[in-house]
Amino acid sequence: MQLVAARLAARVAGSCFILGATLFPPPLPISVPPLVNTVHPALAADTLNPEQRLVAQAWKTADKFYVDRTFNDHADWFQIRQDFVHRKYRTADETYAAVGELLKKLDDPYTRFLEPSKYDSMVNSVVGEVAGAGVELLQEGGRIVIGDVQPNSPAEAIGVKSGDVLLAVDSIDVTNTSPDEVAKILRGPAGTKVGFSVRRADQDLDLRITRQVVQIKGVTSTRFKSGTKQIGGIRIKSFAATTSDEVKAALTALQKEGPLDTIVLDLRGNAGGLLTGSVDVAQQFLPKGQTIVTTSNYKGFSDKSVALSDGQDLTTPMVLLVNGKTASAAEVLTAALQENGRAVVVGEQSFGKGIVQSVQELQGGSGMAVTIARYATPNDNYLNKVGIKPDVPLTCGGAQSDIKLCVEKAAAENNALLKGSL
């Protein structure tokens, strides 16, 4: 079956969606004939306990979808299944650890098991809605730092600020805890309360919020003047099912304020997300028929995604801001606009992730991400472990640094490629 990136529909309810993200880093199931489909009589599903069935389900998912049909040169791939399913598991944690160990045999950091809390977190990030505080969590060393505060969220209402260090949630110390685990504690039914402590400069603050359903806003915009140029800046934090509509609305609002001399898309720190979200954004700036990305599965079947119609803006000069954390679906958009001559890329070498994952739900609310395909840029370049070289190299800070300052720093370079843009 061909993987049609431009036409894949996000099916969270169907428990499968296509990701183009690094999850340090989702929907149409890809029906790929498995290399091995023989079921050993001793391992029939009705003879397995729930823990063994989870292990067997994870193996079957990898067997069906994994892009490398040698399974990392494991000729004993089926024997690996038998070895793991035969084990006796006493707890869920033991089972989860075994599934993780099984998938590590593939030596692919992106094919991985997702415990229920992590699977739930990933689904929420794609759906774009969650009941909680409305904050983005980053990990810096052993600390959890507030990366961003969603507009009109409970966190914004009580004055939480970007850069605050999260110390505890409901009196639970979150030092050396992963962002996923912290998010699990922060989330809960709408209307319930949660307390947390933050450190701001040298001051510790105890705060309490009422959880609300928060629409995750992955796109923000700003208009400013740089020299004589009117700049419309759009920051895309990650790609979800709603990203294309958000970018379209942001651009329309900026243009209503008056003509723009340059559009700047800020992709710094964007680790990817929903591949179709990236493809749809690219179509907004490309003429009909131009190639966006080509995906290929393990059989070598490939599908070229092209702009299906003329985009919303085909003429305003464009600049893309990227850095070493710009990855996957964000690199798809970057390469599509760069190689089609639509935008100048400014910043640092991007991360280099040129493979695609499908996220499948497993029993018990857990899930797994499995690498199902590779992608190539419009010029047939493979970016995995390579990344995208910027047209104008520039170090201008991470995702939280001001877009205007970065643009002004780029303009000061007086690079010929930016003449007429900045």
Side-chain angles (χ1 to χ4, degrees), residues 61-81:
T61 300
D63 181 65
K64 183 175 183 180
F65 294 122
Y66 193 58
V67 68
D68 175 9
R69 304 314 290 175
T70 72
F71 302 99
N72 193 31
D73 294 324
H74 280 296
D76 58 346
W77 177 238
F78 188 70
Q79 182 61 47
I80 289 174
R81 177 194 190 274

Side-chain angles (χ1 to χ4, degrees), residues 9-166:
R11 280 183 45 187
V12 175
S15 306
C16 171
F17 44 98
I18 304 299
L19 280 177
T22 51
L23 185 68
F24 335 67
L28 194 63
I30 308 301
S31 300
V32 180
L35 182 66
V36 180
N37 56 15
T38 303
V39 177
H40 192 282
L43 298 176
D46 57 1
T47 68
L48 304 178
N49 63 34
E51 292 76 18
Q52 291 169 326
R53 281 199 294 272
L54 175 60
V55 176
Q57 187 182 20
W59 180 92
K60 183 179 179 181
T61 300
D63 181 65
K64 183 175 183 180
F65 294 122
Y66 193 58
V67 68
D68 175 9
R69 304 314 290 175
T70 72
F71 302 99
N72 193 31
D73 294 324
H74 280 296
D76 58 346
W77 177 238
F78 188 70
Q79 182 61 47
I80 289 174
R81 177 194 190 274
Q82 292 179 293
D83 293 343
F84 277 86
V85 174
H86 269 309
R87 296 181 187 179
K88 302 299 183 183
Y89 303 104
R90 294 172 296 179
T91 65
D93 287 342
E94 281 188 6
T95 311
Y96 295 164
V99 175
E101 183 185 348
L102 166 64
L103 297 179
K104 282 183 179 178
K105 299 284 186 183
L106 300 174
D107 194 27
D108 174 3
Y110 304 111
T111 296
R112 62 204 181 276
F113 178 69
L114 303 170
E115 296 182 13
S117 62
K118 293 184 178 181
Y119 177 74
D120 184 61
S121 177
M122 184 173 289
V123 170
N124 285 329
S125 71
V126 173
V127 174
E129 190 174 272
V130 64
V135 293
E136 176 188 26
L137 303 177
L138 305 176
Q139 192 161 32
E140 295 182 359
R143 307 185 310 166
I144 298 295
V145 179
I146 305 298
D148 201 9
V149 180
Q150 292 292 320
N152 304 313
S153 67
E156 183 187 58
I158 63 171
V160 176
K161 299 183 181 300
S162 175
D164 286 350
V165 178
L166 191 58

Side-chain angles (χ1 to χ4, degrees), residues 136-207:
E136 176 188 26
L137 303 177
L138 305 176
Q139 192 161 32
E140 295 182 359
R143 307 185 310 166
I144 298 295
V145 179
I146 305 298
D148 201 9
V149 180
Q150 292 292 320
N152 304 313
S153 67
E156 183 187 58
I158 63 171
V160 176
K161 299 183 181 300
S162 175
D164 286 350
V165 178
L166 191 58
L167 303 176
V169 179
D170 274 348
S171 300
I172 301 171
D173 185 359
V174 297
T175 306
N176 294 316
T177 305
S178 73
D180 283 323
E181 290 302 316
V182 177
K184 180 182 178 181
I185 304 171
L186 280 173
R187 292 177 184 143
T192 59
K193 295 184 181 299
V194 61
F196 54 97
S197 302
V198 301
R199 178 166 295 157
R200 183 179 303 157
D202 57 354
Q203 183 181 15
D204 290 352
L205 305 172
D206 291 321
L207 306 170

